Every structure is written in structure tokens, then in C-alpha cells.
Amino acid sequence: MYALTSSLFSLAQSKPTPGNVPPVVTSETAKAGTPATYKGRQLIVGSGGGATGFSTTYFLLDDGRLFGKRSRDTVFTSIGRQKATDTKRLFMTAETRCRIKTTRFDNPGNLYKFVQWQKGKQAYKVTWGDPGKSVPTSYPAFYNSFMALIPASARLK
């Protein structure tokens, strides 16, 4: 059992390559910590809505691990690990430049995007998409910067 858990853990930590589909995090790898059980800070970025109402969400943990999850999924997909400098920059930008802990903006439209900061039960979220409302300017730029770190081949479809 230990060998299986270790091999699943190392597989979950590997970076996707073209032709190498990112592994699914199963209950065996959950011991390493998934967004559902992680105690540290998380940046949660996603989009959804439209005719289906589905959403796609990406979770960056402050240790650099990146996960994805679609609303119809039951498990998290490990996407790999971000560089420490990129992870630190994203958290600093969300906390200082975007001021996510003090920004109150919840205006989803039919199609929406969101950025959330979370640590334990403490969470702050900004949601936008309503064409009649002006989103704080730092959020679309932050969203695009975050998504640029995820290679197109590793994005959830």
C-alpha cells in the first residue's frame, strides 16, 4: 500500500507534458493535501455560467501546488507546481494590489469570473461578469496573469 501511495504521490507531483495528461488526485494522494483539506493560504480563480451553468476552478496553494476542478468533477486534478517566485508574486498581488480582503464586489452575470483568497474558514471573493457593472481594474489583470501560468494543454476542458 505504501508503494502505491508513494508512486501516486510522485505521479501527482509530476508536471504535465504534451501527451501526458495531468493525473487525477485520488483518495490515496489526498494525504498529501488537496485544496479541500489544505490549512494554508489558497488563491482560487475560476469562471463559469452560460447555458450549462458549469464552472472551472483552479486552486493555487501557498506551497506552489496547483489543482483544477470542474463543477461536475468529484476529485481535484493536480496540474503541477508553480515556481516559488510566481506563487509569492501572485499571493502578494492579490493581498496588496488587489486588496482582496477589503474589496467587496459580487456582480456575476450570465458568464462570470472570480478570484478568491482563502485560509481555513476565512475567505474573500470578488466575482464579476455583469456587463452593467465596472469591476475593480486590478481583477481582470490578475485573472489573466494567473491563467497565463497554466499552459493551455493543462487547462481543464
Side-chain angles (χ1 to χ4, degrees), residues 28-88:
E28 290 296 324
T29 59
K31 293 176 184 133
T34 66
T37 59
Y38 193 68
K39 302 291 186 215
R41 297 177 302 162
Q42 299 182 48
L43 285 175
I44 304 166
V45 175
S47 63
T52 64
F54 287 131
S55 64
T56 302
T57 306
Y58 296 95
F59 302 79
L60 177 63
L61 310 185
D62 61 6
D63 66 3
R65 288 181 293 144
L66 182 64
F67 294 87
K69 188 172 190 243
R70 295 169 297 202
S71 56
R72 61 185 180 266
D73 294 341
T74 58
V75 294
F76 294 94
T77 300
S78 175
I79 298 175
R81 186 175 290 275
Q82 294 297 313
K83 295 178 189 173
T85 54
D86 291 337
T87 301
K88 191 174 193 176

Side-chain angles (χ1 to χ4, degrees), residues 48-50 107-112 127-131:
N107 293 287
N110 181 41
L111 296 174
Y112 63 89
T127 307
W128 69 96
D130 183 343

